[in-house]
Amino acid sequence: MRQLRAKLKSSRGETLVETLAAILIASLSVAMLLGGVTVSVRLGRHADETDAYFYETLTAAETRQTPAPDAAGSPVVRITAGRTSIELPVQVYGGEGLYSYALDTGGGTGP
């Protein structure tokens, strides 16, 4: 406690080493802050691009603009009520894990 009071009452300034250390610490802090901001901006842009692609693909699938390639023949939807079962042919739309389907009327790829 006495040393702290003596230092506060002293008219001596900081040494050159202490000043350089403070400048170094401040510079490193600013560099780390700028690095964090840069990464944050880059991640934000990537998220925006991914969201835009997702919504474009989802919209195309839901509006039946992109017929999915036929991998396993003509898909069907089976509806069962009690002992009665019917199968309806469907056309699958979309891609990249985003799929939609509609009743296949056999008349093309549009809605």
Side-chain angles (χ1 to χ4, degrees):
M1 189 72 171
R2 289 182 185 166
Q3 292 175 347
L4 181 62
R5 285 186 187 170
K7 184 164 177 123
L8 289 174
K9 290 182 181 181
S10 170
S11 62
R12 292 185 57 205
E14 299 293 326
T15 65
L16 181 61
V17 173
E18 291 172 330
T19 305
L20 290 175
I23 291 172
L24 176 66
I25 291 171
S27 299
L28 289 175
S29 300
V30 169
M32 289 175 51
L33 177 67
L34 290 177
V37 169
T38 302
V39 169
S40 172
V41 168
R42 193 175 306 146
L43 285 173
R45 285 184 186 155
H46 180 68
D48 289 343
E49 291 170 2
T50 303
D51 282 348
Y53 176 74
F54 171 78
Y55 286 114
E56 286 173 13
T57 306
L58 182 63
T59 300
E62 289 179 343
T63 58
R64 299 181 225 157
Q65 295 175 358
T66 54
D70 226 7
S74 181
V76 294
V77 172
R78 179 174 294 152
I79 301 172
T80 304
R83 294 184 181 180
T84 306
S85 178
I86 62 170
E87 291 184 352
L88 301 172
V90 294
Q91 176 64 47
V92 179
Y93 300 93
E96 300 276 337
L98 298 170
Y99 296 103
S100 178
Y101 64 92
L103 188 59
D104 189 4
T105 59
T109 59

